[in-house]
Amino acid sequence: MRQIFTAFPYVEPPVPDLIAERVRAHARLLTLEPGDILKMPGELHHFYMVEEGVCGYFVAGVVFGHSRIMSLLPPKRTVADISVSTGRPCNIETRALTKAKAWACPAQFFKEEIFSNNALAELYYRLAVMKHESTVEGMVANFTLPPEQRLKILMMMLCTDAPQVKGDWHRVPYRLTAETMGLVVNLTRSNVSRQLSQWREAGLARKVGLDWELHEKLFSDIYDWQRDGALKKKLDV
């Protein structure tokens, strides 16, 4: 699941509780429908924190004719915070992938609440590093791993973020379309649907109503350098 850093791919790390509490105290709550734009490219006057649902970072598709999702943003994930806090805009559009709620917080929040408090500034610095690591891990996974592994990792990340377990089965907590998942792991909608069907036939996936449930055996061959002790083995040598 992790090949280089300690942050996980595809799903952004959550904001620390202390910062999340400050955001809620200084922001206004927005309600979004699927497809609604939360943040426009280049925006610097507000940053956002997802409270409910899932949003996604969309990379512009002007080069290849279609957009891609750089990262998924479940609850407690921040949007445009690095751009706002550094004054450096980026060409990323954030859209709701499901019904969602998000806090909109003014840019001066960082100067007034974060950078004036050493403890909060240190927490935010760590978060900013982890966010970039997560993005790089996702890019590396899409470049180096076969399609099935990429989809497995995404599913495991979603299940880990909000686990709902019934025995050996994990329910995927967010109802994302095959097209959406494909935009994250660089697969077509049909390839994602085909892979889910193969897992279903193998007894590793099942549909319960509108929800997917996945057997934990599906994740048994996912590599993680921390869990598998790769670094420790190298140092011992």
Side-chain angles (χ1 to χ4, degrees):
M1 186 167 14
R2 291 173 291 195
Q3 298 187 67
I4 301 173
F5 300 111
T6 58
F8 294 107
Y10 299 137
V11 178
E12 290 267 299
V15 67
D17 289 337
L18 286 176
I19 296 179
E21 292 169 4
R22 298 290 183 97
V23 172
R24 294 186 183 105
H26 292 81
R28 59 188 176 92
L29 192 60
L30 308 176
T31 300
L32 304 166
E33 293 294 322
D36 285 353
I37 295 175
L38 177 62
K39 178 256 179 191
M40 294 291 291
E43 183 179 331
L44 287 176
H45 54 281
H46 282 84
F47 76 97
Y48 307 88
M49 184 179 77
V50 179
E51 184 70 20
E52 297 178 11
V54 185
C55 295
Y57 280 141
F58 282 78
V59 180
V62 294
V63 177
F64 299 105
H66 53 80
S67 59
R68 292 289 183 190
I69 295 177
M70 188 174 74
S71 296
L72 292 178
L73 305 156
K76 282 190 66 181
R77 273 61 176 188
T78 48
V79 176
D81 50 304
I82 296 177
S83 295
V84 167
S85 63
T86 61
R88 296 177 64 85
C90 63
N91 188 32
I92 296 290
E93 180 178 279
T94 307
R95 290 185 236 152
L97 299 171
T98 66
K99 287 188 175 182
K101 292 183 179 180
W103 297 98
C105 197
Q108 62 263 29
F109 171 84
F110 285 96
K111 183 177 180 180
E112 297 172 357
E113 294 291 326
I114 301 297
F115 297 149
S116 61
N117 182 311
N118 289 340
L120 291 179
E122 182 177 349
L123 280 177
Y124 181 70
Y125 171 77
R126 293 166 63 90
L127 174 65
V129 171
M130 290 177 65
K131 283 164 67 79
H132 280 301
E133 288 182 353
S134 176
T135 300
V136 174
E137 280 285 357
M139 293 172 62
V140 170
N142 282 355
F143 272 115
T144 61
L145 298 179
E148 183 181 8
Q149 284 294 106
R150 302 200 299 266
L151 188 57
K152 278 185 186 182
I153 291 170
L154 174 60
M155 289 298 202
M156 187 172 182
M157 283 302 310
L158 293 173
C159 291
T160 301
D161 184 67
Q164 299 181 41
V165 182
K166 295 181 178 180
D168 296 330
W169 291 87
H170 301 258
R171 177 169 292 183
V172 181
Y174 308 111
R175 293 173 180 171
L176 302 177
T177 66
E179 180 181 10
T180 295
M181 289 187 283
L183 291 178
V184 178
V185 297
N186 197 25
L187 294 173
T188 64
R189 177 194 58 78
S190 59
N191 284 337
V192 171
S193 297
R194 187 180 304 112
Q195 188 60 70
L196 290 171
S197 296
Q198 290 176 1
W199 291 343
R200 196 172 189 172
E201 292 171 3
L204 297 173
R206 65 190 183 190
K207 205 73 180 288
V208 180
L210 297 176
D211 297 313
W212 280 101
E213 291 187 352
L214 305 171
H215 197 280
E216 61 184 30
K217 287 182 180 178
L218 182 67
F219 308 124
S220 62
D221 65 342
I222 292 179
Y223 169 79
D224 187 313
W225 70 268
Q226 286 199 313
R227 181 192 64 206
D228 297 345
L231 182 63
K232 183 177 185 302
K233 291 176 185 176
K234 183 178 179 67
L235 293 176
D236 286 345
V237 172

